[in-house]
Amino acid sequence: MRSCNNCGASIPEDATTCPVCGCNPGTASSPASSTPEQGRKQSKSKKKGPLKFILIALAVIVVLGIGVSRCSEGQELEEWPTGAMAQMIPSMNHKCSSVYDFDDSLSINTEDGVSKQEFDAYVSECKERGFDIVAEEENESFEAFNQDGYKLTCTYHSSSKSVSIDLEEPKAAGTLQWPKSGPATLLPNPEKSKGNVDVDSSSQLHAYVGNMSKAEYQDYVDKCIDLGFDVDYSKSNTYFEAEDKNGNSLSLTYEESGVMEISLDVKDKAAAKKNTADESKADKAKADTAKNYDAKDSAKESAKKADTKKTDAKSSSFKETMDEYETFMDDYIAFMKKYEKSDNVAAMMVDYASMMDKYARWASKIEKIDEGELSESDYAYYVKVQARVTEKLAEASL
């Protein structure tokens, strides 16, 4: 056995790809490509002990943080914003170290010197403004939606005594027009008027559907299973992941605010084209779909029974942890790009503190996971996420 130069994992002498980080084991900066099949093969190389992750990038954050802490004096502060989105939330009796006010989002980082009592009072004011739907509140963080679907996140940074406030417009804010061609034809029409399709190409579909109850979401999942998305699937109350026999990969996620996220990656473009041709007439498409559902009732029941008996399914808690890790790395890449050529040291310091708070919460979860106790599908998902992160870092030249 030898060690990977990138993550230190033990690997076979003849291995060309590290099963832990997906890199070429001989060099620390040569990510190797990974296919789903390769990921499944790699998942057999588990060993006892905590999981290893790509943390080389975090060392850069620490170094950056040290540099920032030496340059925090003389920062220029901004007044509290007054735009349309800013008027949806209370203001604070403090200036801002940075403000990013866009059409669909607002991000505010306050100056240092905000007390915890002021933060608690601010959260109470936000609740009074209507941000009390699906609220999640901890000692130093608050997240909630209002009745229009706007998402508010407030975080208190005890180290710098500052506050980060992020307001996002509803993901499904527009009028949904379900595509009549391409990948969308492989899925059932959600039959909802609220939502938006932000990616529609020959190889990918990404959409948000609003006004979706949890029962309607579960029904949509069942319809997708009916249409053949029942290969290597993983299912919980709020997410569904599966492939069809042609290797097309579907992911559905439900948010308690009533939004369903749809992500479909298409490998079999010919099938999508065929579906488009077959559904050229709307009436015929609905009739064919209904007939297809009737023909597959027994398959649906079999899939449900298999789901309850499946002993090697990905646990929802592990998937959520891995998704949190990937989100953190996405935030890190965005952070590095954002400040690559920026001299706004004050804003950099606040964002850095926020990132380290997120890292601490994520790391505490990872420390409790024993690699040797993961199911095969959990480990396969771990390898898959690691490969995606490695690819993103390589694309960003980080």
Side-chain angles (χ1 to χ4, degrees):
M1 301 289 285
R2 58 185 175 128
S3 297
C4 173
N5 287 350
N6 183 50
C7 67
S10 297
I11 57 177
E13 289 291 338
D14 57 348
T16 58
T17 301
C18 175
V20 174
C21 67
C23 288
N24 183 324
T27 59
S29 59
S30 301
S33 60
S34 176
T35 66
E37 290 73 23
Q38 289 172 332
R40 284 190 279 271
K41 291 178 182 178
Q42 292 167 358
S43 67
K44 298 179 181 179
S45 303
K46 297 184 294 180
K47 59 183 181 299
K48 297 290 288 183
L51 288 170
K52 295 183 182 296
F53 288 83
I54 303 172
L55 298 178
I56 293 177
L58 298 185
V60 179
I61 294 181
V62 174
V63 173
L64 180 60
I66 294 173
V68 168
S69 66
R70 295 173 179 170
C71 305
S72 58
E73 297 182 359
Q75 60 184 26
E76 295 184 6
L77 299 177
E78 302 180 46
E79 297 294 334
W80 194 268
T82 58
M85 294 193 72
Q87 294 179 28
M88 297 176 62
I89 59 176
S91 60
M92 297 189 78
N93 191 26
H94 286 274
K95 291 189 175 182
C96 310
S97 62
S98 66
V99 175
Y100 301 96
D101 194 352
F102 301 103
D103 292 337
D104 59 354
S105 66
L106 171 67
S107 180
I108 301 172
N109 293 309
T110 71
E111 62 181 336
D112 296 352
V114 181
S115 68
K116 180 62 167 57
Q117 289 75 18
E118 288 179 293
F119 174 76
D120 293 338
Y122 185 79
V123 169
S124 297
E125 286 187 69
C126 290
K127 293 177 182 178
E128 293 175 1
R129 290 283 188 99
F131 287 95
D132 56 1
I133 300 175
V134 197
E136 295 184 8
E137 186 171 1
E138 296 182 5
N139 185 41
E140 296 185 344
S141 65
F142 173 75
E143 182 177 288
F145 295 84
N146 67 5
Q147 62 180 2
D148 295 322
Y150 283 81
K151 180 181 179 181
L152 175 66
T153 304
C154 303
T155 305
Y156 182 72
H157 308 290
S158 55
S159 58
S160 59
K161 294 185 177 180
S162 63
V163 176
S164 294
I165 302 167
D166 293 290
L167 181 62
E168 304 172 35
E169 76 169 12
K171 294 178 180 177
T175 300
L176 180 63
Q177 296 183 341
W178 194 250
K180 297 181 179 180
S181 61
T185 62
L186 299 175
L187 302 175
N189 188 328
E191 302 292 347
K192 291 288 184 178
S193 60
K194 189 174 181 179
N196 60 277
V197 178
D198 53 9
V199 178
D200 181 21
S201 67
S202 61
S203 61
Q204 187 178 22
L205 172 73
H206 188 263
Y208 292 101
V209 182
N211 292 339
M212 176 80 71
S213 69
K214 184 165 285 188
E216 290 174 322
Y217 165 76
Q218 296 293 350
D219 183 59
Y220 191 83
V221 169
D222 290 340
K223 289 180 179 180
C224 290
I225 292 175
D226 286 348
L227 291 178
F229 286 93
D230 55 4
V231 179
D232 292 334
Y233 76 89
S234 181
K235 180 181 177 184
S236 77
N237 290 332
T238 57
Y239 84 90
F240 174 76
E241 206 174 59
E243 294 183 355
D244 64 11
K245 64 180 180 180
N246 297 314
N248 301 316
S249 179
L250 173 66
S251 174
L252 304 175
T253 304
Y254 182 77
E255 295 184 359
E256 296 296 337
S257 59
V259 175
M260 176 176 68
E261 180 180 4
I262 302 174
S263 180
L264 176 63
D265 292 319
V266 175
K267 288 187 177 180
D268 186 8
K269 299 180 182 178
K273 291 181 179 179
K274 182 177 183 300
N275 276 24
T276 300
D278 291 343
E279 297 178 8
S280 58
K281 296 182 179 180
D283 292 341
K284 185 176 182 301
K286 292 181 180 179
D288 288 347
T289 301
K291 183 178 179 180
N292 191 37
Y293 293 160
D294 293 338
K296 292 190 176 181
D297 279 343
S298 59
K300 174 181 176 180
E301 293 302 319
S302 298
K304 287 183 177 180
K305 291 179 180 179
D307 184 50
T308 60
K309 297 180 179 179
K310 197 171 183 180
T311 59
D312 194 33
K314 290 194 291 289
S315 67
S316 60
S317 60
F318 178 79
K319 181 182 184 297
E320 289 170 0
T321 299
M322 290 304 302
D323 290 346
E324 186 176 346
Y325 160 66
E326 187 172 8
T327 299
F328 172 80
M329 294 305 292
D330 288 342
D331 290 344
Y332 160 65
I333 292 172
F335 172 86
M336 294 299 289
K337 288 183 176 179
K338 178 178 178 180
Y339 291 113
E340 184 178 11
K341 298 180 180 179
S342 173
D343 57 359
N344 191 341
V345 176
M348 189 188 305
M349 181 173 64
V350 174
D351 286 355
Y352 165 76
S354 175
M355 286 202 64
M356 293 312 295
D357 283 349
K358 293 179 183 178
Y359 170 67
R361 290 195 296 270
W362 167 76
S364 65
K365 294 182 181 180
I366 293 301
E367 291 174 355
K368 301 175 183 178
I369 300 176
D370 189 331
E371 178 179 335
E373 295 178 358
L374 294 179
S375 67
E376 291 297 326
S377 55
D378 274 354
Y379 192 75
Y381 188 68
Y382 156 67
V383 172
K384 183 178 179 180
V385 171
Q386 285 285 69
R388 286 204 299 261
V389 169
T390 300
E391 183 177 357
K392 291 176 182 178
L393 288 170
E395 290 177 352
S397 300
L398 297 176

